[in-house]
């Protein structure tokens, strides 16, 4: 049982480039999330999805896009990368219900230069 | 809006001793869940312990226990017999119950150092 798989683990982008962070879960969770983690700032929600075909903005969505065509996959797209997007990105999933904590992926460290 | 506050950016404790990490939160809800997550240097986020707000009994998981004070909106984590492997960033987190938009809200974290 792989849980939540994120790829790549590390990436360096040049300003203006685009990329997609991949996230796949095999637990049949309806809820999926993308967070970014900046030093001393905790985790900030970028986008989330409550099921296939449904996505919504979180706290810091600017500069990002998502799609959810299947239950398993929730890719995060960065268009026109900027230095402010240098961060560690986490994908997470959970079952329906407040008591269910998240299962996290291992994170992607992205540097924009 | 709900908020989670961790007032201690960093803490240190001697190996084998006990340490308590503080967390306060703000909510108008009566039914919710609270969590502590551990993030070691590997970066992986690991769920340490969870507490249901409607349960008065404090949750425990081996050397980890919480002191949940609902009226004070306080949720501290106690680590007993600290081990070198406990060195990590610890995040306190909150989640409402059974709601379509129930995202987890995280505090900014407390970095815990274990002194040998």
């Amino acid at each position: 049982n792989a849980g939540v798989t994120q790829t790549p683990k590390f990436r360096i982008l040049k300003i203006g480039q685009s990329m997609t962070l991949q996230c796949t879960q095999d637990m049949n969770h309806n809820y999926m999330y993308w967070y970014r983690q900046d030093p001393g700032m905790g985790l900030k929600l970028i986008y989330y999805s409550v099921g296939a075909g449904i996505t919504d903005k979180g706290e810091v969505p600017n500069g990002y896009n998502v799609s959810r065509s299947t239950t398993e996959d929730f890719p995060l797209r960065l268009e026109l990368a900027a230095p402010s997007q240098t961060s560690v990105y986490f994908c997470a999933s959970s079952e329906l219900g407040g008591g269910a904590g998240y299962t996290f992926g291992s994170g992607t460290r992205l540097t924009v230069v | 809006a709900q908020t989670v506050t961790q007032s201690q950016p960093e803490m240190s404790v001697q190996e084998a001793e006990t340490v308590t990490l503080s967390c306060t939160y703000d909510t108008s809800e009566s039914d919710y869940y609270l969590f502590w997550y551990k993030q070691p240097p590997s970066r992986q986020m690991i769920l340490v312990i969870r507490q249901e707000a409607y349960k008065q009994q404090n949750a425990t998981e081996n050397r980890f226990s919480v002191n949940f004070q609902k009226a004070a909106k306080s949720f501290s984590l106690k680590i007993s017999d600290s081990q070198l492997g406990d060195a990590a960033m610890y995040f306190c987190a909150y989640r409402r119950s059974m709601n379509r938009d129930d995202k987890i809200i995280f505090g900014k974290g407390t970095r815990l150092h274990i002194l040998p």
Side-chain angles (χ1 to χ4, degrees):
Chain A
N1 192 343
V4 178
T5 302
Q6 274 186 252
T7 56
K9 293 191 185 305
F10 302 93
R11 183 72 184 269
I12 298 174
L13 275 183
K14 293 185 178 179
I15 294 172
Q17 287 186 321
S18 300
M19 76 164 294
T20 299
L21 279 64
Q22 301 292 344
C23 177
T24 300
Q25 54 93 7
D26 62 359
M27 297 169 287
N28 202 34
H29 286 169
N30 283 320
Y31 285 38
M32 295 188 74
Y33 308 84
W34 276 105
Y35 285 84
R36 60 177 286 173
Q37 182 182 16
D38 300 308
M41 298 301 294
L43 283 80
K44 302 283 188 182
L45 182 64
I46 304 171
Y47 270 95
Y48 67 100
S49 170
V50 299
I54 306 170
T55 63
D56 211 342
K57 295 178 180 179
E59 189 179 356
V60 290
N62 292 343
Y64 308 94
N65 277 300
V66 294
S67 60
R68 185 92 182 271
S69 57
T70 66
T71 299
E72 296 76 21
D73 300 309
F74 190 42
L76 177 71
R77 178 81 177 165
L78 280 71
E79 304 282 1
L80 299 174
S84 61
Q85 293 178 304
T86 294
S87 188
V88 177
Y89 292 84
F90 285 97
C91 179
S93 72
S94 79
E95 297 173 313
L96 176 65
Y102 289 170
T103 299
F104 282 89
S106 57
T108 297
R109 180 176 293 279
L110 175 68
T111 302
V112 181
V113 296
Chain B
Q2 294 86 7
T3 59
V4 177
T5 302
Q6 294 179 250
S7 59
Q8 305 150 316
E10 290 195 57
M11 294 189 70
S12 296
V13 63
Q14 209 75 34
E15 193 176 3
E17 295 192 344
T18 295
V19 63
T20 298
L21 280 58
S22 301
C23 173
T24 58
Y25 58 95
D26 187 25
T27 183
S28 58
E29 305 286 335
S30 60
D31 193 16
Y32 49 87
Y33 293 83
L34 297 164
F35 308 86
W36 278 98
Y37 279 87
K38 171 186 178 181
Q39 186 182 40
S42 67
R43 201 170 66 202
Q44 184 67 50
M45 294 285 285
I46 302 164
L47 178 62
V48 174
I49 199 165
R50 89 182 79 203
Q51 174 78 42
E52 301 171 67
Y54 63 86
K55 287 189 175 180
Q56 293 186 338
Q57 186 173 5
N58 289 325
T60 63
E61 288 288 342
N62 300 314
R63 298 182 295 106
F64 298 87
S65 61
V66 299
N67 183 5
F68 173 49
Q69 302 288 329
K70 191 172 184 179
K73 296 180 183 176
S74 171
F75 183 60
S76 61
L77 175 70
K78 186 173 82 170
I79 305 174
S80 303
D81 185 26
S82 298
Q83 300 175 359
L84 294 177
D86 295 333
M89 182 74 85
Y90 287 83
F91 292 97
C92 180
Y94 163 97
R95 189 178 197 182
R96 288 188 303 181
S97 299
M98 299 303 294
N99 184 291
R100 176 189 164 103
D101 291 328
D102 58 347
K103 289 84 71 179
I104 292 182
I105 298 168
F106 292 87
K108 293 185 178 181
T110 296
R111 184 171 298 282
L112 179 64
H113 303 278
I114 309 296
L115 306 175

